[in-house]
C-alpha cells in the first residue's frame, strides 16, 4: 500500500504505474483531478477517503462487471460494522447515499492488460463546498464521527474477502443483501436506447441488469 498527501488522481496514478499485484492500493488525503463515471471531474477535499485498488481476476470481462455492485455493498458493510446506526443506502449502480444525498462513489476501469483499477471516494470528515452541499454530504456533516484509518482497514479487509467470495460464487452470493439495501421501487434517470429516460426500478437480476417500468412497459437496462 502507498499513501500520499496529494495526487491529481489515484486512478490516473495507477494507470501510469501499471499493474503491481492483486490488492495493491494507493490512498491519498486529497486529489484535485479526481473523476467518476462519464469522466466527471471533481476535487476531493482533505478529510475524505480516496483510494484505488488493483485486481487481476482470471475471469472474462462480462463476468466481472457485477463486482462493481459488490464494491458498493462492501462499503456499506464496512461503515455499518463501525456504526450500525448509519443508514447507508446504495443507489444503482455506483453511488453511496446517506439521507438522500451522495456520500461517495465507485469507479472500476478495465485495462487492456487484463487488470482492474477499483476507485473509491467517500466523504468522511471533510467539509463540502457550498455549490454541492444540497446534493452531497459527509459522515461528519450528518453527525457521525468515524476514524478514517479504522474505516480504511475494515474496508480493505472486507474488499479482499468479498472479492475472493465473488470469484467463487459470483454476484448471486451477494444479490439478496444488495437488493435489501438499494433503491428498488424508486424512480431513476438512466440511458435506454441512446436517450435519457426516467423509470421505476422493479428488480435487479443476478446478471446485474435492471428490470424497470417505463411508460407501463417492463424494460431491461444493461449494467
Amino acid at each position: 500500500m502507498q499513501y500520499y498527501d496529494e495526487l491529481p488522481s489515484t486512478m490516473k496514478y495507477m494507470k501510469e504505474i501499471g499493474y503491481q499485484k492483486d490488492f495493491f492500493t494507493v490512498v491519498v488525503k486529497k486529489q484535485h483531478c479526481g473523476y467518476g463515471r462519464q469522466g466527471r471531474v471533481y476535487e476531493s477535499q482533505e478529510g475524505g477517503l480516496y483510494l484505488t485498488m488493483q485486481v487481476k481476476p482470471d475471469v472474462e470481462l462480462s463476468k466481472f462487471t457485477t463486482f462493481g455492485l459488490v464494491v458498493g455493498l462492501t462499503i456499506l458493510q464496512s461503515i455499518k460494522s463501525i456504526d450500525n446506526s448509519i443508514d447507508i443506502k446504495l443507489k444503482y449502480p455506483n453511488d453511496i447515499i446517506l439521507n438522500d444525498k451522495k456520500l461517495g462513489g465507485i469507479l472500476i476501469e478495465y485495462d487492456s492488460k487484463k487488470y482492474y483499477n477499483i476507485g473509491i471516494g467517500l466523504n468522511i470528515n471533510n467539509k463540502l463546498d457550498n455549490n454541492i452541499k444540497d446534493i452531497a454530504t459527509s459522515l461528519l456533516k450528518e453527525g457521525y464521527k468515524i476514524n478514517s484509518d479504522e474505516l480504511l482497514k475494515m474496508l480493505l479487509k472486507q474488499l479482499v474477502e468479498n472479492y475472493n467470495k465473488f470469484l467463487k460464487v459470483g454476484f448471486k452470493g451477494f444479490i439478496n443483501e444488495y437488493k435489501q439495501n438499494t433503491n428498488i421501487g424508486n424512480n431513476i434517470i438512466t440511458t435506454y436506447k441512446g436517450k435519457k429516460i426516467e423509470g421505476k426500478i422493479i428488480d435487479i437480476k443476478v446478471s446485474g441488469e435492471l428490470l424497470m417500468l417505463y411508460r407501463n412497459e417492463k424494460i431491461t437496462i444493461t449494467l
Side-chain angles (χ1 to χ4, degrees):
M1 186 185 303
Q2 292 182 357
Y3 291 89
Y4 293 92
D5 288 335
E6 185 172 349
L7 285 173
S9 161
T10 57
M11 293 290 279
K12 290 180 179 179
Y13 176 78
M14 286 297 209
K15 288 180 181 179
E16 292 171 0
I17 66 173
Y19 176 74
Q20 303 296 303
K21 60 181 179 179
D22 268 6
F23 312 126
F24 176 74
T25 304
V26 169
V27 183
V28 67
K29 291 182 180 179
K30 183 179 180 179
Q31 53 183 5
H32 51 82
C33 292
Y35 63 92
R37 284 166 63 92
Q38 300 179 345
R40 297 187 183 97
V41 178
Y42 57 89
E43 181 174 348
S44 308
Q45 301 171 332
E46 191 166 348
L49 181 57
Y50 317 110
L51 64 95
T52 297
M53 173 187 281
Q54 294 181 333
V55 293
K56 194 174 186 179
D58 187 21
V59 297
E60 296 176 10
L61 176 61
S62 61
K63 294 183 179 180
F64 195 73
T65 305
T66 50
F67 187 67
L69 304 179
V70 176
V71 174
L73 182 60
T74 303
I75 293 171
L76 179 146
Q77 293 169 336
S78 301
I79 292 175
K80 283 186 167 292
S81 69
I82 295 175
D83 188 341
N84 193 50
S85 70
I86 303 176
D87 191 22
I88 302 291
K89 297 296 182 183
L90 304 174
K91 181 180 177 182
Y92 181 97
N94 70 321
D95 286 347
I96 313 300
I97 303 297
L98 178 59
N99 293 336
D100 296 322
K101 295 182 180 180
K102 185 172 180 176
L103 185 71
I106 302 154
L107 179 66
I108 298 183
E109 292 189 336
Y110 175 72
D111 188 272
S112 59
K113 295 182 180 179
K114 298 184 178 180
Y115 72 91
Y116 297 83
N117 288 321
I118 301 169
I120 295 173
L122 290 172
N123 297 324
I124 308 299
N125 298 311
N126 47 323
K127 298 179 181 179
L128 302 173
D129 293 335
N130 288 333
N131 62 329
I132 62 169
K133 66 179 182 179
D134 292 333
I135 59 174
T137 191
S138 68
L139 290 175
L140 180 64
K141 184 179 178 181
E142 299 298 330
Y144 301 103
K145 295 182 178 179
I146 297 293
N147 183 292
S148 295
D149 291 336
E150 181 184 1
L151 178 57
L152 173 62
K153 182 179 179 181
M154 180 62 66
L155 177 59
L156 295 181
K157 178 178 179 291
Q158 195 68 49
L159 267 175
V160 173
E161 290 180 1
N162 285 351
Y163 172 79
N164 289 326
K165 177 180 176 181
F166 179 86
L167 293 185
K168 294 179 181 178
V169 301
F171 186 51
K172 66 182 179 181
F174 302 89
I175 190 169
N176 289 337
E177 186 177 0
Y178 186 89
K179 286 182 180 182
Q180 291 169 7
N181 291 284
T182 196
N183 51 339
I184 291 177
N186 293 347
N187 280 16
I188 66 167
I189 297 174
T190 187
T191 301
Y192 179 65
K193 293 185 178 180
K195 66 177 182 178
K196 294 288 186 180
I197 66 167
E198 182 174 353
K200 181 178 181 180
I201 300 178
I202 300 173
D203 198 6
I204 297 173
K205 301 180 180 181
V206 73
S207 62
E209 295 173 316
L210 276 184
L211 184 62
M212 292 183 61
L213 185 64
Y214 173 62
R215 294 181 176 177
N216 296 319
E217 178 185 355
K218 290 182 179 179
I219 62 173
T220 299
I221 306 293
T222 301
L223 180 64

